[in-house]
Amino acid sequence: MTPADLAATVLSAARAVFVARGLDFAALPAATTVERPRNPEHGDYASTLALQLSKKVGVPPRDLAQALAAELGAQPGIKSVEIAGPGFLNIRLDAAAAGQLARDIVLAGDEYGHTARLAGQRINLEFVSANPTGPVHIGGVRWAAVGDALARLLRAAGAEVGTEYYFNDAGSQIDRFAKSLYASATGEPVPEDGYGGEYIAEIAATVKAEAPDADLETFRVRGVELMFAEIKQSLTEFGVRFDTYFNEKDLHDRGELQTALDRLRAQGHTFEADGATWLRTTDFGDDKDRVLRKSDGDWTYFAADCAYYLDKRERGFDRVVIMLGADHHGYLGRMRAMSACFGDDPAVNLEILIGQLVSLVRDGEPVRMSKRAGTVVTLEDFVEALGVDATRYALARYSSDSPIDIDVDLWTSASRENPVYYVQYVAARTASVARQAAAVDLTRGEPDAFHADLLTNDKENDLLKALGEYPDTVSRAAELREPHHVARLLEKIAGAYHRFYDEPACRVLPKGDEPIGDGNRARLWLNDATRTVIANGLGLLGVSAPERM
């Protein structure tokens, strides 16, 4: 029985109680959930439904809990229901119902863990969005790993997601980039506010080889093309692909900044002062009003932000999610106010996630700069040091609002202390068990012949409980925008599997000349269910599930 099945059974019992007592059906939720108790002695699952419904129907929570417990206790698969505290329901499944989860997982395959929790939501998820003036640096690497994992999670929870990379191919940073390329190609010193590093020399040489007489504008246009092509390639090799690559220049070329200004003006939130056009964002909590168009007629970066937000909303996205670095806290107030100025509800239509700093550490010392970029640690440096899998897992394993140090020595070690090795080892071990089973003609057998009631060992039950947490963890991680919950559950499952594997009474393979029995088949179902969940979870993090290590 999956947690979703049990939750449906709890709600069905509540309907039966409502019918028997003549209670108002309007108080019943469309769906409910069950949770794993923190203390295993309190049962397999817990429900707070009696507490949730009590005030709505005017029945004391313990009275309602007693009625629910009696109804639930009569349902197939329920071993017992106990009432705790003011009205908590602690539910224990019988062995057959608990064990059926292994079969359900294997049969669901890649779809296990997918839910409809966020069905109907159209989300635009923008992340990385590094300017094409250099390789993706350490902060962008974190967002590449976390953002891609979040997109996968949101889709697994039923949302329609469009991933987007926005790059600034207009403005002063591009000017400095072009001047740096030109200086490198002509043998002049790098401008004081320009860009350095081997990559500048490489791109400059390429442009000069293509066009020996290239002027500054040629270096600007072709340099941006080459730099962005390199960024896209490095992200692709990292396993990150975007649905849309959006150029800021297109907003200017299509007149979308003027369209956004006209819309804001029609909403009554603009004013003229000192020859410039302003947006009165202080009406919606910003610390100061913002200039949209300067007195010389030039647009501000904020005007482009407004046009880009409007563009996303008019493409049909209900919620705009933007991932920004730790140095962008100042954007929160102005962006929320801007959303409100367009007539949107910032709490519904806009969400800004701020990621904290990451340090790469080797031999106890920070790795401070790239071999190629010269000033920062890049995506290539991360992958060279750890590999793609370890980099993605390490960055997605922690809450993005916490600074982290990534220890190269730890994350490249073949030990249980290395979290990604610990989890991937279970992926490989479960695959190995399946191969060994096939070698001795041990198969799971038909699903209808599965003896779930034979999975009674504590180690088997603990593993089943951990596997059962997966769907709710996926949904919760998607709702909270926190992929690290999936990583932590995978490590919990890995620990439970290792204990199951090491328990002599839980052998999957027959020992010596022992005949193959139903217990072996049942435990093979559990082994393969573990492989399924580990592979699915690692897939959500963009990490491979190896069959051999």
Side-chain angles (χ1 to χ4, degrees), residues 22-93:
L23 300 175
D24 182 7
F25 271 78
L28 280 173
T32 189
T33 58
V34 291
E35 299 176 350
R36 290 289 189 185
R38 292 185 179 180
N39 185 345
E41 294 181 0
H42 292 166
D44 297 320
Y45 292 95
S47 171
T48 60
L49 189 60
L51 296 171
Q52 297 170 28
L53 298 176
S54 175
K55 287 185 178 179
K56 295 180 180 179
V57 297
V59 177
R62 280 193 68 91
D63 289 354
L64 192 55
Q66 287 172 350
L68 283 170
E71 186 66 33
L72 266 177
Q75 301 300 315
I78 306 295
K79 181 179 180 180
S80 66
V81 183
E82 299 171 357
I83 302 168
F88 295 101
L89 296 174
N90 290 333
I91 304 166
R92 286 180 169 81
L93 305 181

Side-chain angles (χ1 to χ4, degrees), residues 118 121-125 154 159-163 316-321 351 481:
L118 302 183
Q121 293 190 26
R122 295 200 69 215
I123 299 173
N124 180 282
L125 178 62
L154 291 168
E160 181 181 345
V161 182
T163 58
F317 291 105
D318 308 311
R319 194 172 188 87
V320 173
V321 181
E351 184 176 348
R481 319 300 194 231

Side-chain angles (χ1 to χ4, degrees), residues 401-478:
D401 61 3
S402 299
I404 52 173
D405 292 330
I406 302 299
D407 189 332
V408 174
D409 300 325
L410 170 66
W411 287 94
T412 55
S413 66
S415 69
R416 289 193 173 194
E417 285 68 39
N418 177 354
V420 69
Y421 179 86
Y422 189 61
V423 173
Q424 286 185 315
Y425 190 73
V426 171
R429 176 169 269 184
T430 51
S432 174
V433 169
R435 289 193 300 271
Q436 294 176 63
V440 298
D441 295 324
L442 167 59
T443 65
R444 295 191 301 262
E446 293 300 318
D448 291 343
F450 172 45
H451 286 265
D453 57 318
L454 296 179
L455 299 176
T456 57
N457 188 278
D458 287 345
K459 301 296 189 298
E460 294 162 346
N461 194 34
D462 289 344
L463 180 54
L464 284 164
K465 287 180 179 180
L467 296 174
E469 293 180 35
Y470 181 72
D472 187 59
T473 298
V474 170
S475 294
R476 188 171 72 255

